Amino acid sequence: MVVQSSPRIQRSSHRPWLVLPSLIMVLATALASFAVEAKSLASQVDDGTSRHRWGPDFVTKPSLIDQTQEQTDLFWCSASPRAEIEPPLALEQDSEPALSWIRKHLGTKSPYPHETRQAGPLTDTPEGYELAQLHLICRHGTRFPSPSNAIAFQKLTERLKHFTVPGTEWLRHWRSQELYPMEKGNLLAAKGDSDLYQIGHRFAIRYKDFLDQHPYDANTYEFQSSSKARCSQSAYAFSVGFFEGRITTDPGATNAEKDKYELPVQPIDIETLPIGIDKELAVKYACPRWLESVKNSPAIVRETLTYNEQFLPKLAERLSAMFTSDDGSVSANITIKDVETIYGICAFEVSLYDNDQTWCQLLRQSIQNVTASSVENQHSNFVRFEISGDIDDYYTHGPGIPFNRHLGCVLGTSLVDSIEMALDPNAEKFTATRKFGDDDDDGPHRFRGLFKFGHAETIFFFSSFLGLYDQRKIPLKGNMTSEQYEQREFWTSKLSPFAANMAFEVYRSKAGDVPKKRRLTSEDMFTEVRSDPPVGLIRLLVNEEPMIIPGCGSTYYCDWATFKEILRQAGTGCDFEGCCTSLHPPSDFNDISGTPVCLTVDPVTA
């Protein structure tokens, strides 16, 4: 290693003390500038104008590609000067728990962990195989709160901003209507666009060779979305990152024509189905039995209340005490509903604006006001709200209600059919294909990529169908110990943050290794054509990290025949219509085979 020394500075040979006045002037100027800046910052904190200036918008926002490149530089220890720049930590250093910790414990409102996701090419393809198909099931990116939540935020702000409570000066100038406008309710935020763009860009890096081999056209890549705008917009944002720099041109176009007609981004075809008909991505609305028997089920409400009653009333009392005048004559009378609203605003403040210095501070302060002898710590409120949400989703959308598995079966059947097509070199008809259009010759196609964009419950229902987070068969109850909660499998902050995704890589044996057609002849007459079962490997990635599929042993690569049998046992090809359309449950067992027809809507028991 060569160490380059700095050039030696020539010392002045004449009266160095003459430099002192200039040095003093420079120092004085710097100190004055620092004082002015500090005063300005202090005034911003006092009047609330700096409430988001420590987040991503504190500096001039770079382009999306620059943001992603910064992440790539950090992951690969690039020598780029950007990799040496650390984000400002002035607020986070004094925060306990730190913002970085809170981001990982907000349940389904947790921001996607881009900072821990590496960008790099696919280098571990199994020997003798090639990537044949790619599946993605993805939740939409970061969104705005619902209109009803936005109204609740505004009303609570108006009630509390007139109180003088140390540490809550920001309330007087907190701009609820500006930050969370009702007209943007449930719409994808700009940060949500960035979520999916960044994921798409990392996928483009990972699957570069695959994209080189299979450029975009609507017969090669299928995009499907729930009819909600936040989902279709997420699908488009992903495609921008995935196909960036890969604009499709007509085969016979000249360079001049390419320059004339080339677009800045690749247009894509996105298919949607109306709510109530969509049985894959917004499936719960297509299942009347779920809407009647599972949603807001008394058994689910009872389990959640069992847990909430252990901490919400006390927390409401503490917050009420904070917002009460010294003589007790005026009080905000914080209710349990108000406490839930405070946590909701805190979650959106962090997920949308990377800010934990407003409403999240109230949850911290409510612990600080407890006597020192209490064993509670500043993590406890966030942990409890996280567990409360997990219990609710465990039963409402997860494995806590066996019937929920049915709501993932159509998506599972589609997955099986499309993989079967990708692996079978002799397939002439592909069942999981694009629908026939108006043209007579618009036939089926074998897709190389199938990308589907839905909701948090899309991830919950399908992961329950696969049995990913119920392997130990220990129900998540409202009266468990803290140690048991710490060991729970169903953890929504990890399973379904904003932009959560499940990807399936389908690997096929390379040419020459695939099964051949076998012709069975009787004398000189052709009687039958058959082929061996297709051979392939499947790998699952959850939020861009590999995960072993239950039932596939200890390897990330699951043999296709094994994976197909796992899905068959899980219920592919299930009677979705029979189980969902009737508000009265059909018989629990098939009279002929004795196999279950529809799973129960009753919660699981220990």
Side-chain angles (χ1 to χ4, degrees), residues 338-415:
D338 293 333
V339 175
E340 293 173 336
T341 299
I342 290 172
Y343 175 73
I345 310 176
C346 164
F348 277 106
E349 286 281 87
V350 171
S351 60
L352 265 174
Y353 301 113
D354 273 334
N355 179 51
D356 65 338
Q357 295 300 298
T358 54
W359 296 90
C360 296
Q361 276 293 77
L362 295 184
L363 299 178
R364 291 192 183 105
Q365 288 176 264
S366 68
I367 293 298
Q368 291 171 351
N369 293 339
V370 179
T371 59
S373 60
S374 173
V375 297
E376 295 177 302
N377 58 66
Q378 292 195 26
H379 289 78
S380 60
N381 283 334
F382 299 97
V383 169
R384 286 167 174 166
F385 273 111
E386 182 185 28
I387 294 173
S388 174
D390 287 0
I391 293 173
D392 181 65
D393 279 317
Y394 175 77
Y395 293 99
T396 305
H397 305 112
I401 299 290
F403 182 81
N404 288 337
R405 287 172 50 193
H406 283 302
L407 278 72
C409 73
V410 176
L411 198 54
T413 300
S414 174
L415 179 67

Side-chain angles (χ1 to χ4, degrees), residues 5 10 88 247 292 305 349 359 487-488 491 503 536-537 593 606:
S5 61
Q10 182 78 27
I247 309 302
E292 180 190 70
L305 285 177
E349 286 281 87
W359 296 90
Q487 297 299 319
R488 68 189 184 277
W491 202 310
L537 298 175
S593 65

Side-chain angles (χ1 to χ4, degrees), residues 466-477:
L466 292 177
L468 296 182
Y469 303 101
D470 189 34
Q471 299 184 47
R472 296 197 298 267
K473 306 298 180 184
I474 301 176
L476 186 58
K477 311 291 287 185

Side-chain angles (χ1 to χ4, degrees), residues 477-493:
K477 311 291 287 185
N479 57 356
M480 300 172 75
T481 66
S482 58
E483 291 77 14
Q484 289 174 314
Y485 285 127
E486 187 64 26
Q487 297 299 319
R488 68 189 184 277
E489 293 180 84
F490 192 83
W491 202 310
T492 59
S493 300

Side-chain angles (χ1 to χ4, degrees), residues 9-82:
I9 300 175
Q10 182 78 27
R11 291 191 178 184
S12 175
S13 61
H14 60 283
R15 295 176 294 189
W17 55 85
L18 293 180
V19 179
L20 288 176
S22 300
L23 179 60
I24 292 172
M25 290 181 62
V26 171
L27 290 174
T29 304
L31 288 173
S33 176
F34 176 79
V36 171
E37 187 67 25
K39 182 177 179 181
S40 173
L41 180 59
S43 66
Q44 289 177 3
V45 173
D46 287 340
D47 67 12
T49 58
S50 67
R51 57 144 342 283
H52 294 304
R53 290 184 59 79
W54 292 106
D57 297 328
F58 182 73
V59 295
T60 303
K61 179 177 283 188
S63 67
L64 290 175
I65 185 66
D66 286 340
Q67 295 176 36
T68 307
Q69 183 61 49
E70 286 180 12
Q71 286 190 342
T72 305
D73 289 346
L74 288 169
F75 285 135
W76 295 105
C77 302
S78 169
S80 166
R82 281 181 289 190

Side-chain angles (χ1 to χ4, degrees), residues 506-533:
V506 181
Y507 294 93
R508 180 179 57 197
S509 297
K510 290 184 178 179
D513 298 331
V514 296
K516 300 292 193 271
K517 278 187 179 181
R518 294 181 298 164
R519 298 196 173 198
L520 304 181
T521 61
S522 175
E523 297 179 347
D524 59 349
M525 185 173 182
F526 175 84
T527 59
E528 184 179 4
V529 176
R530 297 188 310 191
S531 62
D532 292 328

Side-chain angles (χ1 to χ4, degrees), residues 137 279-287 290-291 294-295 393-412 455-469 490 495-496 502 570 576:
I137 300 168
K279 299 173 185 176
E280 293 189 10
L281 303 175
V283 60
K284 64 185 182 182
Y285 302 107
C287 187
W290 183 92
L291 293 171
V294 178
K295 182 182 179 182
D393 279 317
Y394 175 77
Y395 293 99
T396 305
H397 305 112
I401 299 290
F403 182 81
N404 288 337
R405 287 172 50 193
H406 283 302
L407 278 72
C409 73
V410 176
L411 198 54
H455 306 268
E457 61 266 23
T458 308
I459 301 293
F460 290 144
F461 287 138
F462 192 62
S463 62
S464 297
F465 174 78
L466 292 177
L468 296 182
Y469 303 101
F490 192 83
L495 166 59
S496 191
M502 302 170 66
F576 181 88

